[in-house]
Amino acid sequence: MVKFLELKKITDKYSSEIHEAVAKVIDSGWYLQGEAVASFETNYSRYIGTDYCIGVGNGLDALIWIFRAYIELGVMKKEDEIIVPANTFIATILAITENGLVPVLVEPSITTYQIDENRIEAAITEKTRAIMVVHLYGQCAYTEGIRVLCDKYQLKLIEDNAQAHGCKFGNKRTGSLGDAAGHSFYPGKNLGALGDAGAVTTNDQKLAETIRSLANYGSSQKYVFQFTGRNSRLDEIQAAVLDVKLKHLEDDIRLRKEVARYYVEQIVNPLITTPCVVDWDAHVFHIFPVRCSRRNELQAYLEENGIQTTIHYPIPPHKQKCYKEWNNLSLPITEQIHREELSLPMSPCLSKEEVSYTVEKLNQFS
């Protein structure tokens, strides 16, 4: 069986370091808002290239707090519009609607699967306050054209960096390209914790202070509450694990790229479309998506041959029951991607034999 993702294998690579880091936290007797969180926040902000990093409970909360903080600071108000790619995980959309803001769905490029910059300006109205880019599958969604639009219309640029730890645009990492970015450290991510965890990165001191307060019950001083916040804090054990894995992230990305390059160069089946890689140096290959008009048949065939795959994602946000008011929208490019996408096994622990076998079976599919 070629597994889609073996988390235990990834954790085992750094097992002794992780056990040592966790034991240190346990022995310290300090389990929240301590040295481990402070260390990871410092190291991760340095890695991303921002002045501030605020650890929070999970990636969804990271995005929610960005919008909530902008509302508290008077930059946004309820019913304001946020431009967002139509093909994304539901969390991206939930963060907007959770704050009473209005998502404006924009189609992606069929080749890169990232938001199509040429479609954005037509979606901008007097109510638009931000463009939210999602670095989907580990490829950079940012473009100079999007920055020009943000400057022209005085819009905030927010990054959903949940799938793109280590991804780059030029010499800068995603997560440092806009005004603020949300990061998920769900266990399956390139930089994954041993449970839920997330962070916000930004260069805006006031925004950072507001988010830190909101995620701590709305308090920056014990028993004094400036905001009606929630409890969404990164804990010491998860921070300690992430600090260990952060040291090895670049090597893990290198291994992912080796798998991806083999896939791209060796998959030659005309029924299967491999992803368009805009910049091999920048892409971090959290997911390796292929497209096939007979996607379900292909998935069943691979399963029969001992190869696990998954779908990112079978139902687009505008077709979900939770957003039934959008169910009649026609977004043909998004719908095509969600109808045809299949994610192949991808991890820094895949063997050459597993990758070769996967490609062999893909090329035999007919």
Side-chain angles (χ1 to χ4, degrees), residues 37-38 40-70 73 95 99 132 157-162 165 174-185 191 197-216 232-234 242:
V37 169
F40 174 69
E41 288 179 342
T42 297
N43 291 333
Y44 193 63
S45 62
R46 184 180 297 125
Y47 176 78
I48 293 296
T50 57
D51 293 335
Y52 305 99
C53 171
I54 308 97
V56 297
N58 55 71
L60 172 58
D61 279 0
L63 297 174
I64 287 174
W65 296 133
I66 291 170
F67 289 114
R68 173 70 186 280
Y70 276 131
L73 293 170
N99 282 287
M132 190 174 191
L157 178 59
I158 298 168
E159 299 173 77
D160 182 339
N161 203 52
H165 316 116
T174 56
S176 69
L177 302 171
D179 296 283
H183 307 253
S184 168
F185 305 121
L191 179 61
V200 175
T201 54
T202 183
N203 288 318
D204 184 331
Q205 181 180 358
K206 191 63 178 176
L207 185 73
E209 291 171 349
T210 304
I211 289 171
R212 191 175 295 283
S213 178
L214 285 167
N216 185 41
S232 176
R233 299 175 300 207
L234 177 63
L242 289 168

Side-chain angles (χ1 to χ4, degrees), residues 133-160:
V133 295
V134 181
H135 305 299
L136 198 65
Y137 307 142
Q139 180 153 247
C140 182
Y142 174 89
T143 67
E144 293 289 4
I146 292 174
R147 167 52 64 195
V148 168
L149 289 174
C150 288
D151 292 342
K152 179 179 178 180
Y153 293 98
Q154 296 184 308
L155 305 176
K156 294 296 183 184
L157 178 59
I158 298 168
E159 299 173 77
D160 182 339

Side-chain angles (χ1 to χ4, degrees), residues 127-287:
K127 288 188 173 183
T128 306
R129 294 294 174 268
I131 298 172
M132 190 174 191
V133 295
V134 181
H135 305 299
L136 198 65
Y137 307 142
Q139 180 153 247
C140 182
Y142 174 89
T143 67
E144 293 289 4
I146 292 174
R147 167 52 64 195
V148 168
L149 289 174
C150 288
D151 292 342
K152 179 179 178 180
Y153 293 98
Q154 296 184 308
L155 305 176
K156 294 296 183 184
L157 178 59
I158 298 168
E159 299 173 77
D160 182 339
N161 203 52
Q163 298 186 11
H165 316 116
C167 180
K168 292 181 178 179
F169 179 84
N171 294 322
K172 298 184 71 174
R173 296 193 192 279
T174 56
S176 69
L177 302 171
D179 296 283
H183 307 253
S184 168
F185 305 121
Y186 178 78
K189 305 296 186 183
N190 288 20
L191 179 61
L194 299 186
D196 279 320
V200 175
T201 54
T202 183
N203 288 318
D204 184 331
Q205 181 180 358
K206 191 63 178 176
L207 185 73
E209 291 171 349
T210 304
I211 289 171
R212 191 175 295 283
S213 178
L214 285 167
N216 185 41
Y217 299 99
S219 171
S220 56
Q221 179 183 347
K222 195 169 184 178
Y223 301 135
V224 178
F225 304 93
Q226 184 178 359
F227 310 108
T228 53
R230 283 214 323 258
N231 176 7
S232 176
R233 299 175 300 207
L234 177 63
D235 73 67
E236 288 286 287
I237 287 178
Q238 300 303 342
V241 170
L242 289 168
D243 229 2
V244 168
K245 295 179 79 173
L246 179 60
K247 292 185 292 184
H248 302 283
L249 179 56
E250 287 299 305
D251 191 51
D252 281 349
I253 290 171
R254 178 184 60 79
L255 294 170
R256 286 175 177 272
K257 287 180 180 180
E258 290 179 4
V259 174
R261 193 174 289 277
Y262 190 87
Y263 279 151
V264 168
E265 292 176 353
Q266 300 299 322
I267 296 173
V268 293
N269 190 328
L271 297 174
I272 299 169
T273 302
T274 56
C276 171
V277 180
V278 176
D279 184 345
W280 277 95
D281 289 335
H283 205 314
V284 294
F285 296 100
H286 170 58
I287 299 296

